[in-house]
Amino acid sequence: MTENVDPWVMDILRCPVTGATLVPATGPDGSPELRSTDPDRPLAYPVRDGIPVLLETDAREL
């Protein structure tokens, strides 16, 4: 999922809704995603074809 993303890119990626950092994870269906570390509004963003989709409309609440 994010193994093809340079570490410095992962360091600067942020949740577009809350500004929290994002960490790699796996969704309930086994697909890759990035999860926000915001404790008040945790969101998960899909990673499609190796590209994080950082759109609020595509995020799911955790």
Side-chain angles (χ1 to χ4, degrees):
M1 164 185 60
T2 58
E3 57 273 351
N4 294 332
V5 178
D6 286 335
W8 69 269
V9 175
M10 283 302 300
D11 287 342
I12 62 172
L13 283 179
R14 297 289 180 262
C15 172
V17 177
T18 66
T21 57
L22 298 170
V23 294
T26 303
D29 63 354
S31 61
E33 65 184 15
L34 293 177
R35 290 186 182 171
S36 169
T37 58
D38 188 292
D40 296 323
R41 188 166 181 209
L43 298 169
Y45 296 92
V47 177
R48 297 185 186 126
D49 297 321
I51 301 169
V53 181
L54 300 179
L55 299 172
E56 183 177 6
T57 55
D58 286 2
R60 71 177 179 86
E61 298 207 16
L62 297 172

